[in-house]
Amino acid sequence: MSKFHGLWFAFMLISLFSFGQTEYKKEAAIGVHFLLNDFKSATNLRSSSLNSVFINKQFAKVKEMTAGLALNYLKGLSNHFDLAVTGAGSFVSYELRNNPGSAKDRFLLEVDASVIAKMLSDKYWITPYAQTGIGGLIYGVYYGAFIPAGVGLQVNFYDEAYLLMNAQYRIPITETSNYHFYYSLGIAGNIGKKKDASSSLKVRPALPLASN
């Protein structure tokens, strides 16, 4: 490891320990999101390989995905971890794994609770994150369970509102659910008592930077 990279790594460790002394836990927030369900790409990946899908350009186009809306509740657990509870609804043609040919245009309701692990605390304007949890679905007369696993990016507007971009791979647990990708873009705003203006308007960096 070069001297520069060693200094940068040491700076990051010091930053993480020092930021841990300051409270940047997210206030309770409610979000509204536009979503896209992508079943085609997940099917192609499972029937071949990632390399083959890339070479043959078998990823679904936006027009081949199904749109929907989602609402979610966010609450900070610590500086780097948030709880997210999400309810998503869309009209899809959803084929059950244990019942080929069962796909019909019905309303799909998915509800999940997950933990968001942020690379940086809410001190920063922008932070990448990973997310996983457990979820359940209702599709017509069918019930199922799945695991949402993915990554995202949060843009923080003075600790009062957040732009959230997220991509997940939804992994079925039961035979009455199916593999698919879930993409969402939305905005969340704080609920309840607002923070003092002096704390919400403080200057904050976009990302931690190493000094020369």
Side-chain angles (χ1 to χ4, degrees), residues 89-183:
S90 54
F91 285 93
V92 300
S93 184
Y94 188 87
E95 186 164 289
L96 307 175
R97 289 190 300 144
N98 67 344
N99 191 359
S102 61
K104 292 182 180 179
D105 215 11
R106 296 192 183 111
F107 183 72
L108 171 66
L109 174 64
E110 293 179 306
V111 178
D112 69 89
S114 58
V115 173
I116 293 174
K118 298 177 292 189
M119 182 178 292
L120 307 169
S121 74
D122 285 354
K123 174 176 179 172
Y124 297 97
W125 288 107
I126 300 172
T127 181
Y129 63 84
Q131 180 175 1
T132 190
I134 188 75
L137 66 87
I138 302 175
Y139 181 63
V141 298
Y142 301 100
Y143 296 82
F146 63 92
I147 295 172
V151 294
L153 188 70
Q154 171 187 284
V155 181
N156 182 0
F157 299 106
Y158 299 108
D159 298 330
E160 296 291 342
Y162 306 89
L163 177 68
L164 299 164
M165 293 167 277
N166 186 248
Q168 296 177 11
Y169 187 46
R170 299 207 152 182
I171 305 165
I173 296 175
T174 62
E175 291 296 320
T176 50
S177 55
N178 211 336
Y179 294 91
H180 66 284
F181 288 100
Y182 170 98
Y183 309 108

Side-chain angles (χ1 to χ4, degrees), residues 51-122:
N51 186 53
S52 175
V53 171
F54 269 114
I55 292 174
N56 297 313
K57 299 179 181 179
Q58 292 177 311
F59 281 105
K61 299 178 175 61
V62 172
K63 65 181 180 180
E64 296 174 303
M65 303 178 191
T66 54
L69 291 174
L71 296 174
N72 78 334
Y73 170 81
L74 297 165
K75 183 71 172 69
L77 301 174
S78 68
N79 282 0
H80 290 273
F81 293 92
D82 296 340
L83 170 68
V85 179
T86 305
S90 54
F91 285 93
V92 300
S93 184
Y94 188 87
E95 186 164 289
L96 307 175
R97 289 190 300 144
N98 67 344
N99 191 359
S102 61
K104 292 182 180 179
D105 215 11
R106 296 192 183 111
F107 183 72
L108 171 66
L109 174 64
E110 293 179 306
V111 178
D112 69 89
S114 58
V115 173
I116 293 174
K118 298 177 292 189
M119 182 178 292
L120 307 169
S121 74
D122 285 354

Side-chain angles (χ1 to χ4, degrees), residues 185-197:
L185 174 65
I187 190 162
N190 287 351
I191 56 177
K193 186 178 179 180
K194 293 184 178 181
K195 293 184 177 181
D196 294 335

